[in-house]
Amino acid sequence: MSRTTALSHVYSFPTEFVENLHTLRDGSLLLTTMESPTGHLYTLDPKAPEPQAKLVTSFDSNVTALTGIAQLPPYDDDLYAVSGGLHTSFAFERGSMSVYIVSLKTGTVVDSIPVPDTATMNGMAALPRHPHMLLTADSIDGRILSVDARTREVGVWLEDAALGPGAHNASSSGVPPVGVNGIRVRGDYLYFTNSSRGTFARIRIGPGGKPVGKPEVLARSPDVRQIYDDFTFDDEGNAYLAVHSTAVFKVTPDGVQTVFAGGGTDSPFKEPTSVALARDGKSIYVSTGGNFTATPREGGQVIEVQLYT
């Protein structure tokens, strides 16, 4: 039985897998999609009488999927960084990935920064004190990469065993070999999920924007088949994690983990992928990948879940 929480369906895509979402200043959502057949970037106004996804821009055939999203200065809801490349099975063709700088005002890609030595860039975040410095999760090689949006320099911000997928048999466990997945900066810490290891952790960021110390695990998935994906925080510091295949978990600042929404066979969530906080802080939006084994295929969803009832 699913956890009963006040929620409402906002929108369903016909076939597209929704990978990530971000709340814009006006309350609309920015969404990345995969395999449609090329990556598409959409906006969606969840408060419209009949919400409809609006295409911002699409990409050529070498970009079949888009993943992470991060806002860039001057923070006027114009410039956003999105990552993408040629998608394979739970990874990308090595050498195909780039960070694309997109103008929402013009609906164009204004720059692209190749990131050659990676098979995946997943979640993305900007360092608040160094806002042109983007961090992106390399889920396959177990690293967090840095991409400078001004100088175009690409480097390794952190490489640690806690970021890698670890040793496991994907065929027997049902868990794909995906390590570090979602990343977000809150306060002086970078928080991250690791899908294969089933961990939600953080590492401190020093004044110069470099990692300090070792990662600290805050919560662990109760079951290897409950796979952490992307996440967000509310104003009180509670984290809300998208959990495959049907749930949203809540982790309090002191590490108490509960099923916040969904979680049963009757769950409305079809492969949750990401979570974003509404502008008023009273609800979260959950994106899903949809039912990609159904015939015909069922596209991803956007569902609003109330935090306070």
Side-chain angles (χ1 to χ4, degrees):
M1 181 71 71
S2 297
R3 170 70 185 270
T4 302
T5 307
L7 54 83
S8 56
H9 174 269
V10 176
Y11 185 76
S12 287
F13 285 83
T15 59
E16 285 140 311
F17 185 108
V18 183
E19 170 63 14
N20 217 322
L21 77 168
H22 173 89
T23 308
L24 300 176
R25 191 165 55 182
D26 66 357
S28 296
L29 303 173
L30 186 64
L31 305 102
T32 55
T33 67
M34 306 177 76
E35 300 174 351
S36 47
T38 63
H40 287 162
L41 186 67
Y42 291 98
T43 57
L44 177 71
D45 181 359
K47 298 304 182 184
E50 295 184 7
Q52 295 293 322
K54 297 181 180 179
L55 183 66
V56 175
T57 188
S58 56
F59 296 76
D60 63 32
S61 59
N62 292 320
V63 185
T64 56
L66 300 175
T67 52
I69 305 170
Q71 188 176 13
L72 290 170
Y75 303 120
D76 59 354
D77 261 359
D78 181 23
L79 294 180
Y80 280 83
V82 297
S83 49
L86 190 59
H87 191 241
T88 60
S89 178
F90 297 107
F92 288 77
E93 182 177 302
R94 190 171 291 274
S96 74
M97 298 213 74
S98 294
V99 170
Y100 297 92
I101 311 302
V102 178
S103 167
L104 300 191
K105 292 180 179 178
T106 63
T108 58
V109 176
V110 297
D111 196 8
S112 62
I113 304 170
V115 183
D117 184 28
T118 180
T120 292
M121 289 191 293
N122 209 322
M124 186 188 295
L127 288 173
R129 297 177 184 175
H130 310 270
H132 291 279
M133 184 62 71
L134 303 169
L135 302 181
T136 177
D138 181 344
S139 304
I140 304 301
D141 293 334
R143 306 175 296 178
I144 295 176
L145 305 177
S146 61
V147 180
D148 191 314
R150 286 188 299 190
T151 67
R152 304 168 63 86
E153 182 179 357
V154 177
V156 177
W157 189 79
L158 177 66
E159 187 167 11
D160 191 278
L163 303 174
H168 73 287
N169 188 323
S171 60
S172 62
S173 68
V175 181
V178 175
V180 60
N181 192 325
I183 62 173
R184 287 192 185 270
V185 175
R186 179 177 172 83
D188 293 329
Y189 289 88
L190 176 82
Y191 292 78
F192 63 90
T193 54
N194 185 311
S195 296
S196 292
R197 294 180 181 270
T199 52
F200 175 56
R202 69 179 185 178
I203 188 167
R204 193 161 71 86
I205 304 170
K210 301 295 185 181
V212 176
K214 297 291 288 182
E216 170 193 7
V217 174
L218 305 175
R220 296 182 184 274
S221 174
D223 189 308
V224 67
R225 293 163 296 182
Q226 293 178 308
I227 304 169
Y228 291 163
D229 204 317
D230 216 323
F231 61 97
T232 196
F233 290 96
D234 66 16
D235 295 335
E236 298 176 355
N238 299 299
Y240 299 88
L241 283 64
V243 181
H244 294 274
S245 291
T246 62
V248 175
F249 285 3
K250 177 180 179 179
V251 180
T252 64
D254 55 358
V256 176
Q257 179 174 237
T258 55
V259 178
F260 181 70
T265 56
D266 59 344
S267 170
F269 304 111
K270 301 174 182 177
E271 302 294 344
T273 55
S274 189
V275 188
L277 184 68
R279 291 295 296 178
D280 63 7
K282 296 180 180 179
S283 64
I284 54 175
Y285 294 103
V286 181
S287 61
T288 77
N291 186 350
F292 37 86
T293 62
T295 304
R297 178 171 174 166
E298 298 174 9
Q301 311 154 285
V302 176
I303 295 174
E304 183 178 14
V305 185
Q306 298 298 319
L307 299 184
Y308 310 103
T309 57

